[in-house]
Amino acid sequence: MLANKNSLHRRLRIVELVRKRGEVSVDELAAAFDVSSVTIRSDLNYLEQQRYLIRAFGKARYVAQRPGENVLSAVSASATRQASDMAIARLAADFIDDHASVFIGAGVITHKLLPLLADRSNLALTLNDIAMVPTVQRFMRCELRLSGGSLDDDSTVLLGPDAERSLSALSLDLAVLEAMGFDREGNLLCADARLADVHKAALKNAKRIVVVAYQPALQGEGRAFCHVSRLGGLVLDDAIDPPTLDLILKAGLDVNRREEGILEFRNQQP
């Protein structure tokens, strides 16, 4: 009886995880739930028969029933991503108060955060992505500065020693950064090593750190810029595998609020 309950619980969690991500491989599911790939394939066979998902090329894909039709249709990955990004940005905006000095690092979600700050007064913003400047000018009235640094071809992100020096000299109330995932030691990762160095420079004098991420996972690639235990807040979508969730909770962050499929963690230490 206990085995049956465990199987049911795992299958429900598989459906939720696949629904949030759109597509997950058998190997990822086996690692996430600490069971064999044979067990996962058995689960997926059952869930496919029940029309919760479909299997293709070693992966599980979520499907949704169209109203009035008896066919299965795949959920748009881009639509899911855009909705999650905006929900994450909305919760991250709650960390930013009037009169604050804030560094907002380059990223898709951090860019979407800017219009949500239109009602804040007397903000001092520092950016290292020049593509964000028109958004600030359109939606906000605040003090605005750009870090120094250099641009690569076709890039709008300021990087390099000049950017690092200018940011490390600032006194910041808050730094809001975007991450791609975690390593197994609990460090947050950037895909670009140079951007990670800029993030680390901004954190030297930041009183508080907030990180946003879409579907972060434990992975070996990327450059670390901050340990999760240093964060004042972390906002991400709830398509998070169990090992990553355990890592966050062990670092001392508490789940504070869940809204629109988004998890918010806060460090309750002063």
Side-chain angles (χ1 to χ4, degrees), residues 43-203:
D43 291 338
L44 298 183
N45 283 337
Y46 172 82
L47 293 170
E48 187 173 42
Q49 291 171 5
Q50 299 300 314
R51 299 170 65 85
Y52 285 107
L53 49 79
I54 57 174
R55 298 175 62 193
F57 306 108
K59 297 181 180 180
R61 294 176 180 171
Y62 183 71
V63 292
Q65 192 77 30
R66 289 178 178 173
E69 296 182 2
N70 291 320
V71 298
L72 295 172
S73 59
V75 174
S76 167
S78 61
T80 299
R81 171 69 195 263
Q82 291 179 19
S84 294
D85 284 353
M86 283 305 304
I88 292 168
R90 280 196 296 273
L91 286 183
D94 291 343
F95 286 87
I96 301 176
D97 299 323
D98 294 343
H99 312 289
S101 175
V102 184
F103 171 64
I104 298 182
V108 174
I109 301 172
T110 50
H111 196 154
K112 292 184 178 182
L113 168 67
L114 295 172
L116 304 174
L117 303 177
D119 62 345
R120 304 301 194 275
S121 61
N122 298 318
L123 284 183
L125 287 187
T126 302
L127 309 174
N128 75 315
D129 185 351
I130 62 176
M132 292 182 174
V133 173
T135 304
V136 173
Q137 292 174 332
R138 178 180 178 186
F139 291 100
M140 304 175 64
R141 300 180 66 181
C142 66
E143 179 184 338
L144 175 63
R145 67 166 69 95
L146 286 170
S147 69
S150 57
L151 297 174
D152 290 341
D153 293 341
D154 301 322
S155 174
T156 62
V157 181
L158 294 161
L159 301 170
D162 287 342
E164 295 163 30
R165 279 192 292 269
S166 67
L167 290 170
S168 63
L170 292 177
S171 179
L172 298 166
D173 295 308
L174 180 68
V176 183
L177 310 173
E178 189 164 334
M180 62 175 281
F182 303 84
D183 66 18
R184 296 191 179 277
E185 284 70 48
N187 296 302
L188 292 141
L189 304 175
C190 275
D192 189 323
R194 296 169 303 166
L195 183 58
D197 289 339
V198 169
H199 284 180
K200 286 190 285 187
L203 299 182

Side-chain angles (χ1 to χ4, degrees), residues 188-224:
L188 292 141
L189 304 175
C190 275
D192 189 323
R194 296 169 303 166
L195 183 58
D197 289 339
V198 169
H199 284 180
K200 286 190 285 187
L203 299 182
K204 287 183 178 179
N205 294 314
K207 296 176 183 177
R208 201 175 191 199
I209 308 163
V210 172
V211 169
V212 296
Y214 175 76
Q215 294 188 1
L218 293 176
Q219 51 197 303
E221 299 179 356
R223 175 69 67 87

